[in-house]
Structure formats: structure tokens, C-alpha cells
Amino acid sequence: MTKIPRDTPQFYLTAPSPCPYLAGRSERKVFTHLVGERAPELNDLLSQGGFRRSQNIAYRPACDGCRACISIRVRADEFRRSKSQKRVWNRNKDVRVELCERKPTTEQYSLFRTYLDTRHADGGMADMSVLDYAMMVEDSYVDTAVVEYRLSDGDLIGVALTDRLSDGLSMVYSFYNPEHTLRSLGTFMILEHLARSKADGLPHVYLGYWVAGSQKMDYKRNFLPQEHLGSDGWVVAD
């Protein structure tokens, strides 16, 4: 009889729940746990296969009759900023970027709450407590960093939780001060990750899922060239 190693990942399927992107539809996810010594290797393989990480869980959509969620990654080594992206980059030249240990702070949580209350008050993360935030940052068995974005006076205006993969950087979650609208901080943080990925010799930046018809996802199509994951693997998007 074939024996399955104890560290072989087991996959599970969630029950249907309302889709957060497309009205009137439901979603299901397939997921597994990222724990133990093999977690970094498994996170690499699953990320390249379209999974995303949340704490020590890797998941991807598995919705009945719907394939609207498309995994995307940007080719960091070939990326060139558009005119508007160059303006965003130049407007944020005074921002200091710091790669920090994976330790949550009250300063980060305060910014996190401001971001949620302003931009996602009705979202699935709206009720996250300081302990929930601490778990989001700390509960990881993979190579994860907290990236802080500060002004010259030390004011924290943005944070990104980022996994380092063998072939790129994966932006797990990011948030910023919504009062700095002219800075376009969401765009700037992606541009910074692309620049850092290229400097480190990593070819990709993973941006999660893009959903056609979901306005909140449209910004991801502005970073080119990018690849979409389909039945034939990763292909350059038109």
C-alpha cells in the first residue's frame, strides 16, 4: 500500500459564499496550510500555480461555472513606466522605503484602520482587531517582510506585506494613508516593488487576481507587460 508522507499538503474546499467582486455570484476556494519546513518551497510552487497566501493558508478560487478571477504577474525585468507612472514616481521621490522585521506595530495598525474605514468599510476585513492584524503579519512560515513607506519627517504613509519567492515578489496585502490622494500611493508601492524586484534579479511581481468587470481591480491592468495564468500556463496578456 502506498504511504503518503505526513508533510504532503492536504487540500480543502470552502462552502459557497457571496462573491466580493461580481454581484449576484457566489465563490468557493480551494485551500491548504502553509506550515513546517517545506512551507517556503510549497508557497513558491502554489504562487506560480495561481494561489495566494493569507497568513498560513494558500488559496485560489474554485467557483462552479466561473473563471473570472485571473492570476496576474508583471514582468519586472521588462517593465517600463508609462508617462503617468513616471509622474507618480517623481511625486514620491521624498518617500523613504524600509524593509522591516515581521513585527506588527500600533503605528501600522492605526494606519491599517484608517485605510479600512475610509476605503473598505463594508469589506470582509472591516472588523479586524489589533490581534487580527498581528496574526496577519506574524502568522507566516515563509520569507515575508513588512515594507514601510515614510515621509522625510518620519510619518508612516504606507505598508506592504510582501513574500519573497524564487522568481519574484508577491504583494500579499498593502494599505496606505488615503489622505495623500495626489501621491497615488497604491500605484507607487507597486512601482517600488517592480523596481526592487528588478534590482534583485527577480523577474516577476505577483499582484493577485484581476477580475474583468470589477472596477476595484482595473488598476492592475496598468502595469505592463504582464502575464495571465490560463489553461496553457502563464501567457503575456494583450
Side-chain angles (χ1 to χ4, degrees):
M1 183 175 65
T2 301
K3 293 185 178 180
I4 300 176
R6 293 180 62 186
D7 58 354
T8 298
Q10 302 296 306
F11 291 86
Y12 308 90
L13 188 64
T14 65
S17 60
C19 176
Y21 305 116
L22 299 176
R25 299 194 188 185
S26 61
E27 69 166 358
R28 301 187 78 178
K29 294 186 178 73
V30 60
F31 70 94
T32 190
H33 296 277
L34 293 170
V35 295
E37 295 181 356
R38 292 189 59 197
E41 175 188 357
L42 183 59
N43 190 42
D44 255 28
L45 291 173
L46 292 178
S47 295
Q48 293 163 11
F51 280 71
R52 294 289 287 167
R53 184 181 70 82
S54 177
Q55 295 176 223
N56 62 2
I57 297 291
Y59 68 91
R60 67 169 298 170
C63 308
D64 296 334
C66 180
R67 296 295 181 268
C69 291
I70 299 174
S71 298
I72 69 172
R73 66 187 186 186
V74 184
R75 289 187 171 185
D77 48 352
E78 300 176 31
F79 175 75
R80 298 293 183 272
R81 298 177 197 127
S82 66
K83 289 183 179 180
S84 62
Q85 289 168 345
K86 287 179 181 178
R87 290 193 292 269
V88 171
W89 184 262
N90 290 331
R91 282 199 297 268
N92 289 282
K93 282 187 174 180
D94 60 329
V95 175
R96 186 172 75 248
V97 183
E98 300 177 1
L99 271 65
C100 307
E101 293 185 48
R102 201 173 66 244
K103 293 182 178 179
T105 67
T106 55
E107 186 183 26
Q108 292 170 9
Y109 180 70
S110 177
L111 180 62
F112 177 68
R113 280 263 42 108
T114 298
Y115 174 77
L116 288 181
D117 294 343
T118 304
R119 294 294 182 90
H120 301 286
D122 58 349
M125 303 174 73
D127 295 329
M128 285 182 65
S129 68
V130 65
L131 293 179
D132 294 327
Y133 175 76
M135 288 184 63
M136 184 175 76
V137 174
E138 294 178 324
D139 197 3
S140 172
Y141 287 79
V142 305
D143 187 359
T144 306
V146 175
V147 188
E148 293 187 343
Y149 299 84
R150 295 182 180 274
L151 298 180
S152 56
D153 62 2
D155 186 27
L156 181 68
I157 60 171
V159 175
L161 188 63
T162 304
D163 289 349
R164 185 181 179 94
L165 308 175
S166 61
D167 69 335
L169 300 177
S170 177
M171 299 184 70
V172 176
Y173 191 76
S174 59
F175 53 94
Y176 51 87
N177 189 332
E179 294 182 359
H180 292 275
T181 54
L182 294 179
R183 288 184 175 272
S184 301
L185 288 172
T187 294
F188 172 69
M189 287 194 285
I190 296 175
L191 294 175
E192 189 276 326
H193 275 70
L194 286 164
R196 182 153 40 90
S197 186
K198 182 177 181 178
D200 290 348
L202 299 172
H204 305 113
V205 170
Y206 289 77
L207 296 183
Y209 301 115
W210 171 71
V211 180
S214 174
Q215 188 174 1
K216 66 175 67 175
M217 294 284 195
D218 282 348
Y219 73 93
K220 296 184 180 183
R221 292 287 283 138
N222 296 328
F223 300 89
L224 302 171
Q226 65 181 232
E227 299 175 347
H228 292 183
L229 182 60
S231 57
D232 296 324
W234 291 98
V235 296
V236 177
D238 294 332

